[in-house]
Amino acid sequence: MPTIVVNKHTPAVVEAFSHLGKVIPLDTLEVTAENVRDADLLIVRSETKVNAQLLEGSKVRFVGTVTIGTDHVDEAYLASKGITFVSAPGSNSNSVAEYIAAALLTWSHRTGNSIAGKTIGIVGVGNVGSKVERVARTLGMNVILNDPPLARATGDPKYRPLEELYDADIITIHVPLTKSGIDATFHLFDEEKIRRMKKGAVLINSSRGPVVETQALISALREQHLSNSILDVWEGEPIINTDLLRLVLIGTPHIAGYSLDGKLNACRMVYEAACRFLNVEPKWNIDYSMSPDDARIIIPSSITEPIDVVRTAVQQAYDIEMDDRLLRQILTMDAAHHKAYFMKLRAEYRIRREFFNRTVILYPSQRSAETILKGLGFQIASVH
């Protein structure tokens, strides 16, 4: 019977893998070389660096990460050792797109800017970016897409050069972190590119922290070249730059993709890959469906403007401002506690369900918001 070391903060992971072997659930900081030495399979999250230092001399023959990103994994090392590696591409893409919807609606409400008619540039149009495009169009935005690899692969003229995005009101980034090749994304948005964005623009990053150069963004915000920034990811995390946190409109602890549904999708994808690796029939039967009462969202009848109805529904489904408030508590702490607090926010993240689980109850005076709400994925019911 194989030994399977898993990160215990992954929902359903113990139940899912228990019929495949002996499951050892560990805290993130407990995933060490000593504790994985006798494991046959290793299931990690993005906080764990998977490399020779962790695995050399171990029995590990299968590594799965319940994330879409793989920059924490030395894939070349795994390949050289004949270790099977799988990730979960696209698993939390809907969660990230809903985070962007919440971010845009909160930005609009806080600043008094209308979303409709604004131009948004989307950098990276894969699993996440394509869903962000749908969100943006649903909210009435003009969209410019940038994805050099897709542009080359498809020849589709809808993918525009990055230069054409600099006049956008908002740029949102959805790329993997890569440090080599013609499409390297490390410090993709450095001082030169940030300065080329139009004055007063907004920069959103929910991909990987090092895609944006921290000091360049700090300078652009301090000098008000950019009016705002919304960050879910940070260079150096779990130790983050608190000067930058003080400057951004919304700051969250790398949780954009942390919906329960996204986590379950990722766990299921890695679990099924492990079943194939072990030549075992999958037996996943975990049910996390919501009760009708928990799924219901009721908008006060006094709220009738469509965008206000939409924002209220989104806030009830996912309160991004709560995540912002919780992260800003780090500013009251001694620096020695910052790393542990950031990791705690992620490890103990509350249950958040995606919009498709929720039914918005609309009064007749609110029905004009129905199309947008449906476009964002909500179910709709009416008060008669």
Side-chain angles (χ1 to χ4, degrees), residues 21-310:
K22 177 186 176 183
V23 177
I24 300 176
L26 299 177
D27 184 75
T28 302
L29 294 178
E30 294 175 331
V31 184
T32 63
E34 179 180 359
N35 288 338
V36 306
R37 184 175 295 121
D38 295 324
D40 300 291
L41 289 78
L42 174 63
I43 313 301
V44 302
R45 294 161 23 122
S46 60
E47 300 96 334
T48 299
K49 302 295 183 186
V50 181
N51 50 28
Q53 185 176 350
L54 180 68
L55 296 182
E56 192 63 34
S58 76
K59 294 169 56 181
V60 172
R61 286 293 169 262
F62 176 98
V63 172
T65 181
V66 289
T67 61
I68 60 174
T70 59
D71 49 283
H72 57 296
V73 178
D74 187 341
E75 295 186 57
Y77 170 77
L78 297 186
S80 74
K81 295 295 183 179
I83 299 172
T84 298
F85 171 64
V86 299
S87 60
S91 58
N92 66 354
S93 56
N94 206 52
S95 177
V96 178
E98 292 181 1
Y99 173 95
I100 298 300
L104 291 170
L105 289 161
T106 302
W107 165 79
S108 171
H109 182 64
R110 284 198 192 177
T111 64
N113 285 289
S114 172
I115 297 177
K118 291 290 190 295
T119 296
I120 187 168
I122 301 174
V123 181
V125 197
N127 286 313
V128 176
S130 58
K131 289 184 173 66
V132 172
E133 178 188 6
R134 173 181 55 79
V135 164
R137 294 193 188 281
T138 296
L139 293 174
M141 305 184 78
N142 303 311
V143 178
I144 309 174
L145 304 176
N146 168 257
D147 194 311
L150 273 177
R152 291 193 300 273
T154 66
D156 194 325
K158 73 178 182 180
Y159 300 114
R160 309 309 302 162
L162 189 60
E163 290 73 19
E164 292 190 23
L165 275 65
Y166 292 139
D167 286 332
D169 302 295
I170 300 168
I171 290 180
T172 183
I173 308 170
H174 304 283
V175 298
L177 177 61
T178 56
K179 295 187 177 181
S180 60
I182 59 173
D183 300 311
T185 61
F186 177 79
H187 283 183
L188 175 64
F189 277 77
D190 55 11
E191 184 170 6
E192 184 262 338
K193 291 189 179 69
I194 291 174
R195 292 291 170 177
R196 291 184 67 182
M197 292 174 62
K198 82 173 186 180
K199 185 173 176 59
V202 178
L203 182 62
I204 303 175
N205 186 16
S206 59
S207 59
R208 285 294 185 266
V211 172
V212 175
E213 186 179 357
T214 297
Q215 291 303 322
L217 181 55
I218 287 175
S219 296
L221 289 169
R222 280 180 173 164
E223 297 167 21
Q224 298 183 327
H225 177 72
L226 297 183
S227 64
N228 293 118
S229 184
I230 296 168
L231 297 182
D232 181 55
V233 290
W234 311 78
E235 278 199 284
E237 62 182 62
I239 299 173
I240 69 172
N241 189 305
T242 51
D243 289 337
L244 181 54
L245 176 58
R246 289 184 176 92
L247 290 166
V248 299
L249 181 74
I250 299 171
T252 53
H254 199 155
I255 48 71
Y258 264 34
S259 71
L260 177 60
D261 305 280
K263 291 178 180 180
L264 291 173
N265 287 340
C267 185
R268 186 189 298 275
M269 290 170 71
V270 173
Y271 161 78
E272 291 177 350
C275 289
R276 291 191 294 272
F277 176 77
L278 296 171
N279 197 28
V280 173
E281 192 70 23
K283 294 183 179 179
W284 179 291
N285 60 359
I286 301 166
D287 183 9
Y288 276 84
S289 58
M290 296 182 73
S291 71
D293 286 343
D294 290 337
R296 189 177 296 115
I297 292 175
I298 299 176
I299 311 297
S301 59
S302 59
I303 299 175
T304 56
E305 280 296 320
I307 198 64
D308 292 332
V309 172
V310 171

